[in-house]
Amino acid sequence: MENVRSFGTASSEVLSPKTIKVPVTLAEPSVIICVEADVHLEKPAVEIKRTWKSVILEQCELVPTFNPKMAKLFVSGLIRKTIEYATVDHYSATAVCGDIRHTTALIPFDFCTDLTFPTGGPSLQLAPDFTSSGQLLDHSGHGPLLTAALHGNRQVYNERPYCQLLFSEFTELDLGQNVRSVNGFEHSFTVVREKIVLRLGLKVLQDQQLPIPTPPPPPHKPPHSCK
């Protein structure tokens, strides 16, 4: 690159009224997801003792639609499921002996849901980009000047919306698969079929500029007078 020149002036602009940038809650959706998966156990089990579950969000992205009051929320994540179970090591006609073991599985889920911003409430703020161009008239005034042109463009760097996980609730049905008889009255299984109903509470936020409230002036006191 040759013949590069850089010149200009610096200026500052004072905004009035004063503003503050704070997180603004756009929506607090509550969604229900149904998940089905198979969890393979390391050893044959005769009984599930306890289970623990938690949610890990991997993606939560807000995408605007053609309606300024609506958006699509794409969410994906993992259910971290821990199963504590009793194993089969030795057995007789009247007893089954084994250890207490656990298996932790990561079960993926994903969904997309609609968000509607109420009229008069906070909404998604996205300033658009624009591009402009124009032609100059040649010296004769009869046509465009082909050796010069005007071009301009503006790119706006918007604040990206983000999510917070508020709560998670689970109901589930655990079904043992690959069932085999142990001693006639006990049965073992090596796969657990998970049927999970998950309810997620989310908070969708965006950092926005809001005006700082100006306190009202103090009331005017009447002049003091003597009786």
Side-chain angles (χ1 to χ4, degrees):
M1 185 177 294
E2 299 177 354
N3 299 327
V4 177
R5 296 179 60 199
S6 176
F7 53 90
T9 59
S11 63
S12 61
E13 184 179 354
V14 179
L15 298 178
S16 180
K18 299 295 185 179
T19 61
I20 184 173
K21 179 182 283 189
V22 294
V24 175
T25 300
L26 302 179
E28 290 189 4
S30 176
V31 295
I32 295 178
I33 310 106
C34 297
V35 182
E36 189 173 15
D38 290 338
V39 178
H40 295 263
L41 304 179
E42 183 183 10
K43 297 182 65 175
V46 294
E47 182 184 359
I48 295 177
K49 292 296 186 180
R50 289 183 295 177
T51 63
W52 297 270
K53 296 168 294 297
S54 59
V55 170
I56 304 171
L57 290 183
E58 291 188 311
Q59 173 189 254
C60 189
E61 300 291 348
L62 191 67
V63 180
T65 63
F66 306 103
N67 186 342
K69 285 296 181 180
M70 295 186 64
K72 295 285 187 178
L73 185 65
F74 291 81
V75 180
S76 65
L78 300 169
I79 299 174
R80 187 178 185 274
K81 174 71 178 284
T82 299
I83 302 174
E84 188 179 275
Y85 59 96
T87 65
V88 179
D89 289 334
H90 309 284
Y91 64 91
S92 65
T94 58
V96 175
C97 300
D99 298 328
I100 300 297
R101 303 178 72 88
H102 76 87
T103 295
T104 300
L106 297 177
I107 303 172
F109 67 89
D110 63 88
F111 65 90
C112 177
T113 186
D114 293 324
L115 291 185
T116 301
F117 307 118
T119 303
S123 61
L124 183 64
Q125 292 185 1
L126 293 177
D129 299 338
F130 73 85
T131 302
S132 63
S133 62
Q135 291 292 142
L136 300 175
L137 196 64
D138 64 5
H139 298 292
S140 67
H142 296 163
L145 181 62
L146 300 181
T147 58
L150 298 174
H151 298 282
N153 68 283
R154 181 190 186 203
Q155 289 182 316
V156 181
Y157 304 99
N158 296 283
E159 290 288 346
R160 183 178 180 179
Y162 58 96
C163 296
Q164 289 181 350
L165 181 62
L166 297 181
F167 64 86
S168 61
E169 295 179 350
F170 297 89
T171 60
E172 65 177 331
L173 175 65
D174 295 338
L175 300 173
Q177 304 291 308
N178 298 343
V179 179
R180 296 182 179 181
S181 177
V182 177
N183 56 4
F185 66 92
E186 292 284 358
H187 295 81
S188 67
F189 52 91
T190 57
V191 178
V192 179
R193 172 64 59 84
E194 300 283 346
K195 297 180 182 291
I196 302 173
V197 180
L198 168 62
R199 183 169 176 255
L200 280 183
L202 301 171
K203 184 191 291 286
V204 184
L205 306 104
Q206 184 187 33
D207 292 342
Q208 297 182 2
Q209 297 254 134
L210 299 179
I212 300 177
T214 303
H220 179 68
K221 294 184 180 180
H224 178 73
S225 61
C226 298
K227 295 183 179 180

